[in-house]
Amino acid sequence: MEDSAAVAGRLWDEWLPRAVRQLIAEVLPGGEADARRLAVWLAGVHDIGKATPAFACQVEQLAQHMRDHGLEMRSQQAMGRDRLLARHGLAGQVLLGEWLEERHDWTARQTGQFTVVVGGHHGVPPEHGQINALDSHLELLRTPGRSRTLWRRVQEELLEACAAEFGVRGRFDAWRTVKLPQPVQVLLSALVIVSDWIASNPDLFPYFPQDVPRTSEERIAAAWRGLNLPGPWCPENPVGDVHELFASRFGLPSGAKVRPLQEAAFELARTMDSPGLMVIEGPMGEGKTEAALAAAEILAARSGAGGVFFALPTMATGNAMFPRLLDWLDRLPAPRGSRYSVLLAHSKAALNDDFTGLMDPKHQVAAVELDAPQKQREWRPSSRSRSAAAELVAHAWLRGRKKAMLSSFVAGTVDQLLFAGLKSRHLALRHLAVAGKVVVIDEAHAYDTYMSVYLDRVLSWLGAYRVPVVVLSATLPAGRRRELVEAYAGKVIDATAAAFDAVAQADDYPLLTAVTPGGSPVMRQPVASGRGVDVELERIEDDLDVLADRLEEELAGGGCVLVVRNTVRRVVETAGVLRRRFGDANVTVAHSCFIDVDRAAKDADLLQRFGPPGKTEDRPRRAHIVVASQVAEQSLDIDFDLLVTDLCPVDLLLQRMGRLHRHLRGGRGQTERPERLRTARCLVSGVDWAASVPEPVRGSVAVYGAYALLRSAAALLPHFEGAPGCPVRLPADISPLVQRAYRDGPDGPHNWADAMDNARLRHEKHRADQAERAATFRLAAAARPGRPLFGWVAAGVGDADDTRAGQAQVRDSRESLEVIVVQRRADGTLATVPWLGPDRKGRTRAGLALPTDQVPTTLAARTAASCGLRLPIQFSGAEVMDRAIAELEELSLPAWQEKSSYWLAGQLILPLDEDCRTHLAGFALRYSKTDGLEVTRV
């Protein structure tokens, strides 16, 4: 009890962000002093349920010792399964409530909002049925008969001692009239859980510190030194103008200017009535990321947030964002000696060198040395830092799926944010993790109805916590903009309804929209930066020979072309034809079916060859074609002379256009591009354009649905029919095209009406089905203040994590198989694949031996783990998946399942022969470094 309370006090004083402390403090009559007392007291009493027969009977030797002192109890066997009705969290909730009612005249209605913190300290607040069941088995709390009074006396003595020791004895009268909002109950629950976990760590708090008597102060001081937990970010509101801030935080090149969108976001963050939600809509390449980070610094200083969470749609975008976040952190001013905890939040973060380079050298917190003097920790900038003001660490204690998000600065997949809206065990920790940060949500247009159900509910809780949120998008439909703003602001009242209507009708671009919890939205319309591209659209027949002929004509004088296909199969087929025409060396393939290490190398290669001017010298001088799937849509700053793309939803098509003439090459005239390609042109294929109603290819319909594709075609129709006199003007046409494609009502020529109506009905049915399925495990909105969290995550999913199975809980995607690709040599031994280059330390990774009778070396095991591959959709059907798993499990190696095999335990291994081929579940698989995985049915 004493240890947990002491840890809670230290966490309150040195770790909790100011915003979290303020939220709890403002509902208590004594302000922050009351809030600290309450947190420390709840942490102190959280295990009172262990002082019961149901708990104490578990170790017979100790139970007998208690019996010898008059505390009678039956054996664990005699109690049977009834004992589970009085798990110690629930038992503690009942005992604490009873004590408050009997000793301090509280009512049962008043106690629940406080005692639920005790009842839920193992991650799941009790349900009403569990409480009622225990009420009918009170013998589990106190053995009937002569020892009943003694049990009661022991329990009351402990509670009275806690009230006195932790300074709350005189506060119960004042707290009796308090109505704790549910967000405050959640934060207190999370703080107690963290305190319990730290105090229960025997490395920090040895069970038997018997050498010499120690005071409580010495014990907690030694444990806190051993934990060495980094404190929160405490930024000051930056002084100076926007140009000074951007120059110091982002290293603007000489002569570069802050763009109007960035300046407007900076000023809006400074002038909002209070920190709230800001939606930033602007063109691709306009610097929205920098605008979000600048706004985050201001909003954090104003709100008391202690960190930033940057949520992105995929692991690839998360990996791309992480070094940018670190660069920003390196430039932030901070008191000398500051340490911040940093996290890359996705399931393969341990394979990211930028992240692992920040890890503590030890895998566990330091063991306690009670006699060790308090040393001033020597500070050194990180090796990757240019001018770091704070040390950045991936702290050892803040690892694992339940604790990691408590790190101060996080870049990762949006799934980690959506999990905060999923009824799951230890959900309170996820809420504490986001309640103390500024949350940035990138690519907001990329989330479908299923994910949006969770996102909107999370936004409602973020509004309840008053968390500053920045939402970024280049192509956000106006209706979706309103949904995001309303979700955060809460219930719309008549007085503000018109302002929310205006949000849904605004067609300005760029556009900033801001709202505070319970407030009325405001909008700002910054001018465009002046950088624009006119893109001529043209329909092209979906025939590979026609495409090859056209590209031969276009590339006669050289040039770089991006061909984007909607399915991996179309990528591979297209690349095969173009290679026969242009040569293998002049065609590059990029899609999602590469092993992780090859995918990362592929992205790096694309950036190196097709990145911005001045950052690459390897741009092909002769004709070169990149054939890619959707991986080329976002996160990669790549620039091409000509674009060919399958028809897709218009917002995604515009994203693809953002890779066309993305940078100036030779000034406004683009004179450094081949003469024929100095005008930006986009050829749209993947459709039978000759049909009376355009017929997209089956693969595109399977990915996006017919309705979204037809709406896209209808919105683009004037630009097709008017070309070249009616180009798509970027960024001016981005918002009009998106709003037209996503607005309600008919669109397209009259003869499209029947096909469009049929597609719309299927689309609406699909969306309704998504929303209904997503709502099954969605967290309820915060209830009225004073209502306890009983049953808060009832009928939930259990534990949530960021594995493929975990992601399927917040994404409407079929569960897929992930395998680790290795090679089986002619002699039957296993090795890592032979084409891998050296790691960052220059160590060889290709062809490393993987012994089957023992755990491989750390380097070999980590290298193998970096060759993860997500099998394509052919393996997602239940029957095929079951067969594939059964075949892969036959290849399981017992030696690799040892706990010491961190990288390989529990993984499915896919061995390829020396020709990189194999068979699995009725399919032939072939892998190559250049083309990735090809799958054909046998």
Side-chain angles (χ1 to χ4, degrees):
M1 288 178 157
E2 195 171 56
D3 292 344
S4 296
V7 170
R10 289 286 184 133
L11 290 171
W12 184 277
D13 296 336
E14 302 181 40
W15 182 72
L16 274 186
R18 174 167 56 89
V20 173
R21 301 197 309 268
Q22 287 177 338
L23 194 70
I24 300 172
E26 68 183 24
V27 300
L28 294 166
E32 183 154 340
D34 250 8
R36 187 185 188 281
R37 289 190 201 100
L38 176 59
V40 168
W41 172 66
L42 287 171
V45 301
H46 84 275
D47 267 346
I48 185 63
K50 292 182 176 179
T52 59
F55 184 87
C57 71
Q58 295 179 91
V59 181
E60 181 58 31
Q61 182 181 359
L62 301 178
Q64 186 57 49
H65 185 64
M66 297 174 72
R67 293 189 192 104
D68 293 343
H69 288 76
L71 293 169
E72 294 294 334
M73 69 190 86
R74 292 182 294 162
S75 68
Q76 181 177 0
Q77 184 176 5
M79 286 195 188
R81 295 190 59 82
D82 283 352
R83 190 180 65 81
L84 300 180
L85 298 174
R87 297 181 188 274
H88 75 267
L90 175 57
Q93 174 181 300
V94 172
L95 293 177
L96 182 59
E98 179 184 84
W99 181 75
L100 288 170
E101 293 170 35
E102 295 178 359
R103 293 303 179 101
H104 297 282
D105 298 323
W106 287 33
T107 67
R109 184 181 296 273
Q110 292 164 335
T111 64
Q113 58 185 327
F114 290 83
T115 62
V116 72
V117 175
V118 171
H121 79 263
H122 275 277
V124 179
E127 302 174 32
H128 288 283
Q130 294 171 314
I131 300 169
N132 295 334
L134 181 54
D135 285 342
S136 62
H137 289 79
L138 295 179
E139 73 280 1
L140 298 172
L141 303 180
R142 304 180 186 101
T143 303
R146 62 184 181 179
S147 68
R148 178 182 178 85
T149 301
L150 185 57
W151 274 108
R152 177 183 288 273
R153 197 176 82 196
V154 167
Q155 294 158 353
E156 291 178 349
E157 282 180 0
L158 287 169
L159 291 171
E160 290 289 349
C162 286
E165 179 70 20
F166 308 134
V168 301
R169 178 175 283 169
R171 302 305 301 156
F172 292 116
D173 287 345
W175 291 350
R176 187 167 50 204
T177 58
V178 168
K179 291 185 176 181
L180 292 182
Q182 286 197 329
V184 170
Q185 297 177 46
V186 175
L187 296 176
L188 288 169
S189 298
L191 180 59
V192 168
I193 291 170
V194 175
S195 302
D196 181 25
W197 286 358
I198 294 173
S200 299
N201 187 323
D203 288 327
L204 298 175
F205 293 90
Y207 287 124
F208 304 106
Q210 295 172 340
D211 296 340
V212 291
R214 295 294 176 180
T215 66
S216 299
E217 290 77 9
E218 290 173 321
R219 182 173 167 84
I220 183 61
W224 196 251
R225 287 197 304 272
L227 182 61
N228 197 23
L229 197 63
W233 181 39
C234 299
E236 295 183 0
N237 215 333
V239 297
D241 64 20
V242 63
H243 301 280
E244 294 171 341
L245 179 77
F246 271 71
S248 64
R249 302 299 189 266
F250 307 111
L252 293 182
S254 177
K257 294 183 179 180
V258 177
R259 291 171 176 152
L261 174 71
Q262 297 171 327
E263 185 170 4
F266 175 87
E267 292 301 329
L268 185 56
R270 276 188 165 175
T271 58
M272 292 174 67
D273 291 340
S274 61
L277 172 78
M278 182 190 302
V279 181
I280 301 178
E281 298 173 66
M284 298 73 75
E286 195 71 1
K288 295 188 291 297
T289 296
E290 290 76 12
L293 291 173
E297 183 177 355
I298 297 169
L299 295 171
R302 294 185 61 192
S303 69
V308 174
F309 173 35
F310 215 109
L312 301 117
T314 64
M315 283 193 288
T317 52
N319 286 336
M321 182 63 209
F322 190 62
R324 298 177 68 183
L325 180 67
L326 297 180
D327 285 342
W328 175 67
L329 289 172
D330 282 346
R331 298 174 182 273
L332 284 178
R336 187 165 184 81
S338 297
R339 296 171 68 239
Y340 299 144
S341 52
V342 183
L343 172 72
L344 177 60
H346 61 64
S347 60
K348 297 187 178 181
L351 296 171
N352 183 284
D353 289 331
D354 285 319
F355 178 61
T356 56
L358 300 173
M359 286 185 177
D360 288 347
K362 296 181 179 179
H363 289 291
Q364 296 182 352
V365 295
V368 171
E369 296 180 41
L370 291 173
D371 293 319
Q374 182 80 49
K375 294 182 179 180
Q376 183 66 34
R377 197 174 191 279
E378 183 180 358
W379 172 87
R380 293 186 181 91
S382 61
S383 59
R384 60 172 306 285
S385 169
R386 296 180 302 277
S387 57
E391 182 184 7
L392 308 179
V393 296
H395 193 269
W397 192 81
L398 292 172
R399 295 183 197 164
R401 66 176 184 269
K402 295 181 180 179
K403 295 183 294 185
M405 285 293 294
L406 296 170
S407 302
S408 294
F409 293 96
V410 181
T413 58
V414 73
D415 307 78
Q416 297 290 347
L417 180 64
L418 301 184
F419 284 147
L422 181 72
K423 290 191 287 187
S424 57
R425 193 175 183 87
H426 289 107
L427 181 61
L429 291 180
R430 292 191 178 275
H431 279 230
L432 176 62
V434 295
K437 295 183 177 70
V438 178
V439 174
V440 182
I441 304 170
D442 200 9
E443 307 286 358
H445 57 274
Y447 309 125
D448 63 14
T449 299
Y450 191 93
M451 298 174 73
S452 295
V453 166
Y454 286 103
L455 179 57
D456 290 355
R457 183 52 47 84
V458 171
L459 284 173
S460 75
W461 278 90
L462 294 179
Y465 290 119
R466 298 202 298 274
V467 169
V469 178
V470 183
V471 176
L472 306 179
S473 179
T475 53
L476 190 65
R480 183 66 189 132
R481 179 196 307 139
R482 175 174 182 159
E483 290 171 353
L484 294 169
V485 171
E486 281 188 356
Y488 182 87
K491 185 177 180 180
V492 177
I493 59 177
D494 291 343
T496 61
F500 283 94
D501 289 341
V503 168
Q505 296 163 3
D507 56 5
D508 299 278
Y509 192 80
L511 180 67
L512 304 182
T513 308
V515 71
T516 56
S520 180
V522 297
M523 290 181 285
R524 299 285 185 270
Q525 298 85 30
V527 298
S529 65
R531 167 83 171 99
V533 178
D534 289 354
V535 180
E536 295 182 357
L537 284 190
E538 180 182 341
R539 289 169 287 205
I540 183 173
E541 183 182 349
D542 190 52
D543 181 282
L544 292 178
D545 289 329
V546 171
L547 174 63
D549 290 343
R550 179 62 180 272
L551 292 183
E552 265 192 333
E553 178 184 344
E554 298 290 352
L555 296 175
C560 300
V561 180
L562 174 64
V563 179
V564 184
R565 297 307 206 192
N566 291 341
T567 65
V568 172
R569 182 174 181 175
R570 283 176 59 81
V571 170
V572 174
E573 290 174 346
T574 302
V577 171
L578 295 180
R579 279 183 174 145
R580 288 192 290 273
R581 188 74 65 95
F582 293 90
D584 291 352
N586 298 316
V587 178
T588 297
V589 169
H591 54 67
S592 59
C593 287
F594 282 88
I595 59 175
D596 293 330
V597 67
D598 286 348
R599 169 80 182 273
K602 187 76 65 174
D603 287 351
D605 174 67
L606 290 176
L607 286 169
Q608 179 65 28
R609 292 195 288 164
F610 306 102
K615 292 187 178 182
T616 175
E617 298 178 355
D618 297 335
R619 190 174 181 87
R621 298 183 180 276
R622 302 176 64 183
H624 197 94
I625 305 168
V626 174
V627 188
S629 66
Q630 294 88 336
V631 298
E633 268 176 24
Q634 54 198 15
S635 81
L636 293 177
D637 187 2
I638 48 180
D639 173 26
F640 291 88
D641 304 316
L642 177 68
L643 173 67
V644 181
T645 174
D646 282 349
L647 180 67
C648 60
V650 74
D651 49 337
L652 304 182
L653 192 71
L654 290 164
Q655 293 280 352
R656 296 175 187 183
M657 287 185 195
R659 275 64 192 158
L660 178 60
H661 285 217
R662 186 179 180 91
H663 299 287
L664 293 177
R665 296 186 181 275
R668 295 284 178 182
Q670 301 281 9
T671 55
E672 293 180 5
R673 300 185 191 273
E675 183 175 359
R676 185 180 180 89
L677 302 178
R678 291 174 186 171
T679 297
R681 283 177 293 139
C682 172
L683 313 182
V684 182
S685 65
V687 182
D688 180 0
W689 295 112
S692 58
V693 179
E695 295 181 5
V697 295
R698 290 178 58 187
S700 297
V701 174
V703 174
Y704 297 115
Y707 186 65
L709 296 174
L710 287 176
R711 293 290 305 212
S712 179
L716 295 169
L717 203 56
H719 300 282
F720 285 131
E721 294 181 343
C726 188
V728 174
R729 303 183 185 277
L730 303 180
D733 287 337
I734 290 178
S735 184
L737 283 170
V738 172
Q739 308 318 326
R740 176 176 176 178
Y742 285 95
R743 73 188 178 193
D744 294 331
D747 198 9
H750 178 72
N751 66 307
W752 292 19
D754 289 343
M756 191 77 83
D757 284 344
N758 291 333
R760 177 181 55 79
L761 291 174
R762 293 193 298 272
H763 171 72
E764 291 176 350
K765 181 179 179 180
H766 176 64
R767 289 190 61 190
D769 176 65
Q770 282 187 312
E772 183 178 355
R773 286 185 289 109
T776 303
F777 298 115
R778 181 187 57 182
L779 186 67
R784 65 180 184 276
R787 183 173 179 179
L789 288 171
F790 298 150
W792 190 49
V793 295
V797 299
D799 284 325
D801 57 43
D802 59 0
T803 62
R804 294 292 180 189
Q807 290 172 0
Q809 295 165 340
V810 290
R811 293 179 185 253
D812 187 27
S813 57
R814 301 171 74 175
E815 189 175 346
S816 57
L817 280 181
E818 188 108 15
V819 297
I820 289 178
V821 175
V822 300
Q823 188 171 53
R824 190 184 301 279
R825 295 164 168 166
D827 61 3
T829 60
L830 298 180
T832 59
V833 293
W835 56 81
L836 301 180
D839 67 5
R840 287 192 177 184
K841 296 180 180 180
R843 296 176 297 184
T844 299
R845 295 186 300 173
L848 295 176
L850 296 168
T852 58
D853 58 348
Q854 61 185 9
V855 177
T857 65
T858 299
L859 176 61
R862 188 176 189 269
T863 300
S866 71
C867 296
L869 174 68
R870 182 184 178 185
L871 295 180
I873 194 170
Q874 291 97 319
F875 294 90
S876 294
E879 184 177 340
V880 174
M881 179 178 287
D882 289 345
R883 180 179 171 185
I885 291 174
E887 292 179 12
L888 291 169
E889 287 180 340
E890 289 181 5
L891 304 173
S892 176
L893 300 171
W896 291 10
Q897 306 309 313
E898 300 292 331
K899 290 183 179 180
S900 59
S901 181
Y902 172 81
W903 298 104
L904 300 176
Q907 302 296 324
L908 296 172
I909 308 299
L910 180 68
L912 304 177
D913 64 20
E914 291 191 308
D915 294 324
C916 291
R917 299 174 184 270
T918 191
H919 287 80
L920 181 65
F923 291 90
L925 279 61
R926 175 184 175 273
Y927 187 86
S928 72
K929 180 182 178 181
T930 55
D931 287 356
L933 183 70
E934 296 180 51
V935 178
T936 56
R937 185 176 292 276
V938 177

